[in-house]
Amino acid sequence: MVAELSERGGLFHPDDDHQEIAFRYAVEKINSDRTILPRSKLLAQIERISPQDSFLASKRVCHLLGVGVAAIFGPQSSHTASHVQSICDTMEHPHTAVALQVSAHSAVHALGSS
């Protein structure tokens, strides 16, 4: 039986090495456990963007949508993530963003998805 390929897009900033590694690891782990998606194989489509360049972020999202990714993960910067979220909402496309927000007293992890 031939596995159906399913691409997942990841948008990462230059300093997001740990998030990119975690994203690639998650794809590998899902692919190695045939009980999770027995008839599918995930492919990671990685795009790197500047945390301040919302125009480039928008172009990369359009590129990922154009090549047919099933979902988009990232980026971490709220400046670019809001543009990515807006495009994904308009196109009714799944988007997940993770951001670490640190206060003086504690670290709060935020997870958003649409």
Side-chain angles (χ1 to χ4, degrees):
M1 181 170 100
V2 177
E4 178 183 325
L5 297 178
S6 180
E7 290 190 73
R8 299 298 191 260
L11 294 169
F12 299 98
H13 301 305
D15 295 334
D16 289 346
D17 292 338
H18 290 96
Q19 276 197 347
E20 183 178 338
I21 291 167
F23 180 75
R24 289 181 185 274
Y25 179 75
V27 168
E28 287 178 27
K29 287 299 283 183
I30 290 169
N31 285 337
S32 68
D33 185 346
R34 300 310 310 156
T35 63
I36 297 173
L37 295 172
R39 293 184 295 266
S40 297
K41 179 178 179 182
L42 301 182
L43 297 175
Q45 177 78 21
I46 304 296
E47 297 284 342
R48 290 178 186 79
I49 58 172
S50 165
Q52 308 306 324
D53 194 343
S54 58
F55 179 72
L56 179 60
S58 299
K59 286 180 64 172
R60 294 291 190 239
V61 170
C62 291
H63 169 75
L64 290 170
L65 295 175
V67 298
V69 298
I72 295 177
F73 176 84
Q76 186 171 358
S77 163
S78 61
H79 181 72
T80 50
S82 62
H83 292 276
V84 173
Q85 182 68 55
S86 178
I87 293 169
C88 289
D89 285 348
T90 299
M91 301 303 291
E92 297 183 353
H93 204 80
H95 172 243
T96 301
V98 177
L100 177 62
Q101 300 169 339
V102 180
S103 69
H105 301 289
S106 65
V108 177
H109 300 275
L111 174 65
S113 182
S114 70

